[in-house]
Amino acid sequence: MSSWKKAAKANQKTHKERHQPESRKHLGLLEKKKDYKSRANDYHHKGNTLKLLRKRTLDKNPDEFYFHMINSRVKDGVHHELEKEDEHTPQQVKLMQTQDLKYVNMKRTIETRKIQRLQSQLHMTEVADSTPNTHIFYVEEGEEKNFDVARRLDTHLSLINRKSNRPRLADINNMTLPVVEEVINSTRKIKQKSYNELSKRIEREKQLTVVQQKIELKRHLKNTKGMKPKKILKGTAESAPVFKFQFMRKK
């Protein structure tokens, strides 16, 4: 910068805008030029925006549709954005899915243990008695006609076809409690009730297994990087969908 310009800049007088006169002090601060320019620019900007919106409204097709209409509403002439109900971070979503998977796994484990306990109590005696006996007895030649199975097994003739709970004659003679028809019927009802409970718990355990498989598959699909897996079988109420994932070599 030349010496003449430096001297001219040094001799410049700083012009200050006048303040609000004392007689108009009750009206507040006096608006300066920069304040007026800022207010004027804002006014013209809003006017241009209104003109543009008015033009778009006149040119708008009444049958036009765009997907943002689903997430917004106009109420009392004011446009509102609809807030999403589920606002969660990816970490929160993963944590919730992990908790859901742990809960389903816990319930399935409980059902499995109850099934095992019921099976150990029932022993499936009716199923065992329904299958034919294949026990082979070896006798001497000529004794086939006089062979008595009840005597050989040392039990009553009516208990031969049983595979479980088949007492010997000595045990039957030592029994002092009479067998009452009502007791037999009540025992049969209790057994049938236990079998019904067992079948329901087996069905519930299958449903929980399907739910667990679907949750695990959904988590794996979200964590998949690269090519998306190919769906082979569609999921149903009784089975989870089947996907074919890209083979990735592990180091």
Side-chain angles (χ1 to χ4, degrees), residues 26-218:
H26 63 280
L27 298 176
L29 296 175
L30 180 64
E31 185 179 30
K32 304 299 187 289
K33 184 176 181 180
K34 62 177 182 180
D35 301 328
Y36 165 78
K37 289 184 65 175
S38 176
R39 183 168 59 85
N41 292 336
D42 182 70
Y43 174 81
H44 292 299
H45 177 71
K46 290 179 179 177
N48 294 333
T49 304
L50 290 175
K51 288 180 182 179
L52 179 62
L53 293 176
R54 191 177 295 108
K55 183 177 180 299
R56 288 181 179 177
T57 304
L58 293 175
D59 297 338
K60 182 180 178 182
N61 183 4
D63 297 331
E64 182 182 359
F65 171 80
Y66 57 98
F67 288 98
H68 189 65
M69 293 179 178
I70 302 175
N71 299 325
S72 61
R73 292 290 184 274
V74 177
K75 185 177 181 181
D76 299 332
V78 182
H79 186 269
H80 296 279
E81 296 286 341
L82 294 182
E83 296 182 359
K84 295 182 179 180
E85 296 181 359
D86 298 331
E87 291 290 339
H88 303 293
T89 61
Q91 291 77 10
Q92 292 174 346
V93 173
K94 288 183 179 180
L95 179 60
M96 288 187 291
Q97 290 178 352
T98 304
Q99 296 298 327
D100 294 341
L101 182 61
K102 289 182 179 180
Y103 176 76
V104 173
N105 190 18
M106 179 193 68
K107 298 297 290 185
R108 190 178 68 84
T109 304
I110 292 174
E111 293 297 332
T112 303
R113 291 177 179 176
K114 290 183 178 179
I115 289 171
Q116 293 175 354
R117 185 166 63 251
L118 284 173
Q119 288 178 345
S120 63
Q121 292 175 357
L122 293 173
H123 292 291
M124 298 294 181
T125 54
E126 295 182 359
V127 177
D129 292 339
S130 63
T131 57
N133 287 324
T134 58
H135 192 80
I136 299 175
F137 294 98
Y138 295 94
V139 296
E140 297 292 337
E141 186 177 356
E143 295 182 359
E144 295 88 349
K145 298 181 180 179
N146 299 326
F147 180 72
D148 189 358
V149 180
R151 180 181 297 177
R152 182 67 177 270
L153 295 176
D154 192 19
T155 186
H156 195 268
L157 184 63
S158 61
L159 303 178
I160 292 177
N161 294 327
R162 284 193 176 184
K163 286 189 175 183
S164 61
N165 194 16
R166 185 172 59 194
R168 298 179 180 274
L169 288 175
D171 298 331
I172 295 175
N173 295 329
N174 293 331
M175 291 182 180
T176 57
L177 295 176
V179 180
V180 186
E181 189 69 21
E182 296 180 356
V183 178
I184 297 176
N185 292 334
S186 64
T187 306
R188 188 180 294 110
K189 289 181 181 179
I190 294 174
K191 184 183 293 185
Q192 186 63 35
K193 185 177 179 181
S194 300
Y195 275 108
N196 293 338
E197 182 184 357
L198 179 62
S199 62
K200 290 181 180 179
R201 292 194 179 278
I202 291 175
E203 182 65 25
R204 191 179 298 118
E205 194 268 342
K206 289 181 180 179
Q207 295 178 0
L208 290 172
T209 302
V210 174
V211 172
Q212 180 180 357
Q213 292 175 354
K214 289 182 178 180
I215 294 176
E216 290 178 349
L217 181 59
K218 186 181 295 184

